[in-house]
Amino acid sequence: MTVLARAARRYLLPLFLLMAIAPSAQGAEVLASWNEGEAKQSIVRFVESVSKEGSADFVPVPDRIAVFDNDGTLWGEQPMYFQLLFALDRIKALAPQHPEWKDKEPFASLLKGNVKAALAGGEPAIMQIVMATHSGMTTDEFDQIVSDWIASAKHPKTGRLYTEMAYQPMLELLSYLRANGFKTFIVSGGGIDFMRVFSEDVYGIPPEQIVGSSGKTSFEMRDGAPLLMKSPEINFIDDKAGKPVGIHQHIGRRPIAAFGNSDGDLQMLQWTCSGPGPHYCLYVHHTDADREWAYDRQSSIGRLDKGLDAAADSGWTVVDMKKDWNRVFAFEK
């Protein structure tokens, strides 16, 4: 991609998108995939109250920060996190270079196709898989591997590209917020380098507005060329209590709006909605087993248990996916 082409994608495309929806800063026109109801109305009320000059709740543009979880909030997360599916594919691709994996768990089970047995080791097993597939290469090499995968890999249930598994109502919400002066960030337990590859194309969120988990990276000179190498060590986990910390470290402003779908997002919503001035917190509740999946308190992926109780106690908005969204994915007829 040429420098001119990159500039056009980064600067002109967002401008065209903004022009396309500028006459419609009205939520009813922009949030087309949202059914009329309290969830949609609460969003519109909040956005109008903080963006209207002279409003008692007016918030200056620099302070209009909105943060979004990614997995289960902006795109799907079943039957397992998409980045983990990427890592499983990488294990298969790397296996010929690691004959020792045939007798070493969790790799041995993965190579036999027994994902359940491999993941029975819990978080330590997942960390082994991630470290083996996300390190030992330059950052540029990793970016290319992810780019190739995201352009071709298909979801095991829908047969769609993973980028097509983004929720249409949430894409509309992102555009609506940006049309009203908000700066939108992803704050996710997923890998920061992984999400940065596709976030701008899929969500209109540039790489510098991604907060995520990370491994350690080191600077090296190789054959006279400077490189950044990805190391097999954890640097930061951006999940649960780590999310407000990540927001502080990367953004430097407390958000006034936060959107999540699981208990992993609870502390981020608590931090956002305990701040001074107007604020808004929303949970996406997966209730649609026909168009997507239905899960909450008992799920091993994206569990929403404590968060549901906190939302009820605090008056946060809970989106009932089945009731509040007339479309989940853009590819729906």
Side-chain angles (χ1 to χ4, degrees), residues 189-251:
I192 190 169
D193 288 341
F194 179 78
M195 293 182 288
R196 280 175 169 172
V197 173
F198 57 82
S199 63
E200 194 160 22
D201 287 338
V202 177
Y203 305 126
I205 298 178
E208 64 270 21
Q209 289 168 218
I210 306 296
V211 182
S213 299
S214 60
K216 291 186 177 181
T217 305
S218 61
F219 175 86
E220 295 183 12
M221 295 293 295
R222 184 180 297 176
D223 298 327
L227 301 171
L228 289 177
M229 294 295 299
K230 293 176 66 64
S231 305
E233 298 178 70
I234 296 295
N235 179 56
F236 179 70
I237 300 296
D238 188 56
D239 195 30
K240 300 177 181 176
K243 289 199 172 189
V245 175
I247 289 169
H248 172 73
Q249 292 178 339
H250 287 261
I251 302 174

